[in-house]
Amino acid sequence: MYKLPGIVLLLLVGTACSFFKPEAKTEAIARVNEHYLYPSDIKGLVPTGATKKDSLTIVHDFIARWASQELLYNAAEVNLNKAKKANFDALINQYKIDLYTKAYLEEIVKQSVDTVISTTELKEYYAANKENFRTTATLVRLRYVHVNKDNPRFGSMQSKFFDFKKKDKKFWDTYAMQCKSYALNDTVWVSMDQVYNKLPFITTDNKDQYIAAGKKILYPDGNDIYLVKITNVIAKNQIGPFDYLIPTLRDVILNNRKLELIKKFEKDITDDALKDEKYELYKK
């Protein structure tokens, strides 16, 4: 049997390997089968200020994850049965359609929807849909001040606080800032979570002792004292007050407008396609 010289055999083997192996992309940093990873793929991966060691670790870990995912994907393509792959492909295609149409409709809505909602419209919607807006927790209207008892104006603060008059606004504008904390606008509805946060002596266990319409509270807190007046209370599962619901009502009305606009746009685009013969419905 004729034998090839060793050097010729090595050359032939090297030639065969280079023939079957994909040609290296000089700018690539890694390869898995026919897929390449380029410097642009890892641009911005390393945060500013990272050390050289940390940078190398971040890049190395990213490349390892990329290679692992590519290899697993290739293996899945070979080993998953055709029915399962067809099902996944359909899901992927539907997901793409959903993403595109959702983004497009959002742009249409953003450009076209009227975001101005009058107080009259808010009140009309509230009146017609009150039953849909029941409270999920207790709501409270109150005012309070948390002040040091040694404050030279404490006597005046106490009398003016419980006998609250509009003419005393200038007084409170001046002296409220001397309080450790305060809230004097008792026309705003607040949740019990806000009450617990501002008045820590009120808890879930003792709230019934304090939370009642018309309740006046003087609660000592070391050298300080809390003065509290509960002006109104709405229990859980009652129809929510209009003022408290204004933000929610705006959101609901605006969302309804968006849905109506989308519904109309979908109908118009279908009607136009039928008219222009871009869409045909075949009867069987």
Side-chain angles (χ1 to χ4, degrees), residues 191-223:
S191 68
M192 283 304 301
D193 286 341
Q194 292 170 287
V195 174
Y196 298 143
N197 183 50
K198 296 295 184 181
L199 306 174
F201 65 90
I202 299 179
T203 67
T204 54
D205 294 330
N206 66 18
K207 68 175 184 177
D208 292 339
Q209 176 184 342
Y210 295 108
I211 304 302
K215 182 81 172 181
K216 296 180 180 180
I217 304 168
L218 288 87
Y219 186 87
D221 180 34
N223 291 327

Side-chain angles (χ1 to χ4, degrees), residues 26-46:
T26 55
E27 67 274 23
I29 56 176
R31 177 185 67 80
V32 171
N33 294 324
E34 300 298 326
H35 295 156
Y36 292 85
L37 188 70
Y38 296 97
S40 58
D41 296 321
I42 62 171
K43 186 178 181 181
L45 180 66
V46 178

